[in-house]
Amino acid sequence: MSVLLLTHRACLHHDMGPHHPECPDRLRSVLRALETEEFADLIRDEAPQATVEQLTRVHPPRYVEAILGIRPEPDEVVQLDADTAMNWGSAEAALRAAGAAVAGVDAVCRGEVRRVFCATRPPGHHAEPARPMGFCLFANAAVAARHAQAEHGVARVAVVDFDVHHGNGTQACFEADATLFYASSHQSPCYPGTGEAHETGVGNIVNAPLPPGADGAAFRAAWAETLLPALDAFAPGLLVISAGFDAHARDPLAQLRVREADFGWLTTELCHLADRHCGGKVVSLLEGGYDLDALAASAATHVRALMHA
């Protein structure tokens, strides 16, 4: 199974300051895990920069201009909110992260590969149309979905999100448009305080909040009983995954008890569903995950499933 890995060294230059959990070492740990012999068959390429046109399908032009206009001095960090900041490398990193999502869509829609993993940062699922938050600057998954519709004529795009934090940004981008679908499992209560089951958009949003301490069995049940059936009924023409691994039992930012095997199981189920509905077209984007060892092992399990499911 051909799988494309998209990344870029510029994503290592985004640095929000000492001791910030969303740090360059996160990406280094993932890339090291994917350098072993079992991943030798990955097709590897550099992530391009997203264009302003691609970004403004989701974000207002003034917002894009404002974010890209923040270019701090080499030793400066500009704080955007309590959790989110930019340094000299952040603007290009954000363009590469969104650009990887777009390039991944191009690759699967042109039939060059069937599946893509974007090992980039900053993450994107908390970025609302006109607000950065939760370590996120641009809504990468939403940018990918809109690109698929605008450039490849994909009528129905689904984003599924297993990050431990609810993707309020993706939901905000999708909730009024029935051609887009968003499904999320996440801890509740937890940051950002959204994602209750009653939040359903126009019938295109499905949330499965899990209580602190929920384990892999509860995680699998949420997907098997609620989220996967809803996704199956939506029958997407493209599947985008917001692949956050901070639901792992060792992650320091939340209290779910998911393990690598659970991520592998879900990835396999999602690939099988994509095979049924959209010729296997899957674009996966790295979101959260803040214990470096757990992140590396989980991402490797995820990519292994993308390759072999």
Side-chain angles (χ1 to χ4, degrees), residues 28-270:
R28 292 188 183 99
S29 70
V30 170
L31 294 176
R32 277 196 299 270
L34 300 179
E35 287 170 358
T36 61
E37 182 62 28
E38 72 169 307
F39 297 107
D41 290 338
L42 287 173
I43 303 165
R44 299 167 188 263
D45 205 354
E46 290 195 335
Q49 296 189 43
T51 66
V52 169
E53 178 186 6
Q54 290 160 358
L55 295 172
T56 53
R57 294 187 182 118
V58 171
H59 299 285
R62 289 181 64 181
Y63 174 81
V64 174
E65 181 181 0
I67 291 295
L68 296 182
I70 299 172
R71 301 283 180 150
E73 295 298 317
D75 59 349
E76 182 185 11
V77 172
V78 173
Q79 204 73 33
L80 305 184
D81 68 10
D83 304 304
T84 313
M86 294 179 66
N87 74 328
W88 65 269
S90 299
E92 183 180 351
L95 288 172
R96 298 286 180 183
V102 167
V105 168
D106 287 339
V108 298
C109 288
R110 292 170 182 162
E112 297 166 0
V113 296
R114 292 184 73 199
R115 297 168 189 163
V116 177
F117 181 62
C118 300
T120 52
R121 53 183 291 276
H125 73 154
H126 293 308
E128 296 183 347
R131 180 166 72 145
M133 60 182 289
F135 315 159
C136 302
L137 301 177
F138 296 128
N140 303 324
V143 170
R146 288 303 191 191
H147 180 74
Q149 292 184 320
E151 296 297 326
H152 298 283
V154 181
R156 298 160 68 80
V157 182
V159 173
V160 297
D161 187 340
F162 53 79
D163 191 283
V164 81
H165 303 103
H166 178 247
N168 59 292
T170 309
Q171 179 170 301
C173 294
F174 282 17
E175 59 190 356
D177 188 340
T179 70
L180 300 169
F181 174 90
Y182 177 69
S184 174
S185 65
H186 46 272
Q187 180 177 314
S188 180
C190 195
Y191 181 89
T194 55
E196 296 302 319
H198 64 77
E199 298 170 21
T200 57
V202 291
N204 62 332
I205 305 294
V206 185
N207 287 306
L210 298 168
D215 62 7
F219 174 83
R220 294 191 190 207
W223 283 94
E225 297 169 13
T226 301
L227 301 172
L228 290 174
L231 175 63
D232 206 15
F234 181 76
L238 170 70
L239 180 60
V240 179
I241 302 175
S242 278
F245 301 104
D246 40 6
H248 195 283
R250 293 207 304 269
D251 198 274
L253 297 194
Q255 295 82 39
L256 294 190
R257 313 299 297 171
V258 178
R259 299 286 183 176
E260 293 96 315
D262 303 308
F263 295 127
W265 169 83
L266 178 55
T267 305
T268 298
E269 292 295 314
L270 291 170

Side-chain angles (χ1 to χ4, degrees), residues 266-309:
L266 178 55
T267 305
T268 298
E269 292 295 314
L270 291 170
C271 288
H272 290 167
L273 191 146
D275 289 342
R276 291 198 300 275
H277 291 293
C278 54
K281 294 192 290 292
V282 174
V283 178
S284 177
L285 315 178
L286 180 65
E287 299 280 3
Y290 304 100
D291 178 280
L292 297 183
D293 292 337
L295 171 62
S298 299
T301 297
H302 177 65
V303 174
R304 188 178 300 118
L306 291 176
M307 294 173 70
H308 301 298

